[in-house]
Amino acid sequence: MNEIKPYERKVYYYETDKMSVMHHSNYIRIFEETRVSYLLQAGMTFEEIEAKGLYMPVLSAECHYKRPLRFDEPFAVYAEITRFNGATLHMVYRIVSRKTGELCAEGSTSHCFTNTEMKPVRTKNSYPDVYKLFSDYVGYKVTD
């Protein structure tokens, strides 16, 4: 099992509004960037998963805003797979300012697995390598 580090970057100017704070819609995009980084670090990219004919559409996404991030502010995202049963996946995210250490937002996403025709797939038998990857990381705590 690979060690997974937090996803880190700064707030880009185009992500901010007139008040110089990150627009609320961008936090959900940050969750997606974090998932991509998480899978890469775990050892299987989204491209590899999709090349197998497997998709991971989003079933739900939610975000609770605690303190706004501002232009050029560095942040880190700590993600965790909290549930996985082979057919669905649930991840939680905590976005923390690297400048102040404050929790800025937290949220979650839920996903299912489908084939290219968007029909549900159980990964355990059809994609055992994908199943093992997600199973291995359930409850794994990302730390600095």
Side-chain angles (χ1 to χ4, degrees):
M1 192 160 89
N2 298 334
E3 179 183 9
I4 298 178
K5 295 288 186 187
Y7 175 68
E8 296 189 65
R9 70 172 177 81
K10 291 182 176 186
V11 176
Y12 300 128
Y13 183 76
Y14 77 88
E15 295 174 309
T16 63
D17 61 17
K18 192 171 182 173
M19 299 175 289
S20 295
V21 299
M22 185 187 293
H23 189 270
H24 69 275
S25 65
N26 290 309
Y27 291 83
I28 299 297
R29 290 181 180 93
I30 298 300
F31 293 168
E32 183 173 332
E33 292 173 19
T34 301
R35 280 193 307 280
V36 170
S37 173
Y38 191 105
L39 286 175
L40 175 66
Q41 293 180 71
M44 189 177 297
T45 66
F46 262 104
E47 292 86 0
E48 291 171 306
I49 291 171
E50 290 179 350
K52 297 173 183 291
L54 189 62
Y55 293 153
M56 293 174 51
V58 175
L59 296 173
S60 67
E62 72 175 349
C63 186
H64 302 276
Y65 307 98
K66 306 296 184 184
R67 199 269 281 165
L69 286 164
R70 297 192 174 277
F71 168 63
D72 208 36
E73 184 173 0
F75 64 88
V77 186
Y78 299 84
E80 180 184 350
I81 297 171
T82 56
R83 292 191 309 271
F84 172 69
N85 66 9
T88 60
L89 168 74
H90 186 78
M91 292 186 74
V92 296
Y93 312 85
R94 290 183 314 107
I95 301 176
V96 175
S97 169
R98 282 290 194 212
K99 187 175 178 181
T100 67
E102 293 175 274
L103 177 65
C104 297
E106 57 189 352
S108 65
T109 57
S110 294
H111 308 263
C112 66
F113 294 87
T114 71
N115 63 20
T116 55
E117 282 118 33
M118 301 304 283
K119 301 227 188 273
V121 171
R122 292 197 170 275
T123 58
K124 189 170 188 174
N125 295 325
S126 303
Y127 302 91
D129 55 339
V130 174
Y131 180 85
K132 180 175 179 3
L133 176 87
F134 286 107
S135 294
D136 286 351
Y137 285 94
V138 172
Y140 177 86
K141 299 277 188 192
V142 173
T143 59
D144 287 314

